Amino acid sequence: MLKGGHCNLSVKKNESKVVDSIDMEDLGDKASFCRCWRSAKFPYCDGTHGKHNTTTGDNVGPLVIKKKEL
Ligand code: FES
């Protein structure tokens, strides 16, 4: 088992597993979800990935879910 190297540094660390559930009806036209685990609004992206990428040289960004334009 790999030890250390946690990607989650601060989100719900008192829980054994971080699971978020959001109703599709509550998403509106567009929602951005954090994949860097640094957002203060987790599970939503707050743009903190930009600072993380600049600091570390990483290239992570959000998952953007949006309604298809008809
Ligand atoms: Fe984590 Fe944007 S803040 S992906």
Side-chain angles (χ1 to χ4, degrees):
M1 173 185 254
L2 179 64
K3 292 280 187 180
H6 295 187
C7 58
N8 179 11
L9 302 178
S10 61
V11 178
K12 300 178 185 176
K13 294 301 281 186
N14 59 331
E15 298 179 17
S16 61
K17 183 190 303 182
V18 178
V19 177
D20 296 294
S21 178
I22 298 169
D23 291 332
M24 296 292 289
E25 294 78 12
D26 295 337
L27 291 178
D29 292 337
K30 181 180 174 183
S32 297
F33 291 92
C34 179
R35 295 194 295 183
C36 75
W37 291 87
R38 305 300 191 270
S39 175
K41 296 180 177 179
F42 196 90
Y44 296 99
C45 172
D46 69 356
T48 302
H49 60 267
K51 181 179 178 184
H52 166 77
N53 289 343
T54 299
T55 303
T56 65
D58 207 347
N59 66 346
V60 295
L63 168 65
V64 178
I65 297 177
K66 59 184 178 180
K67 282 189 175 176
K68 186 183 288 185
E69 294 183 28
L70 300 174

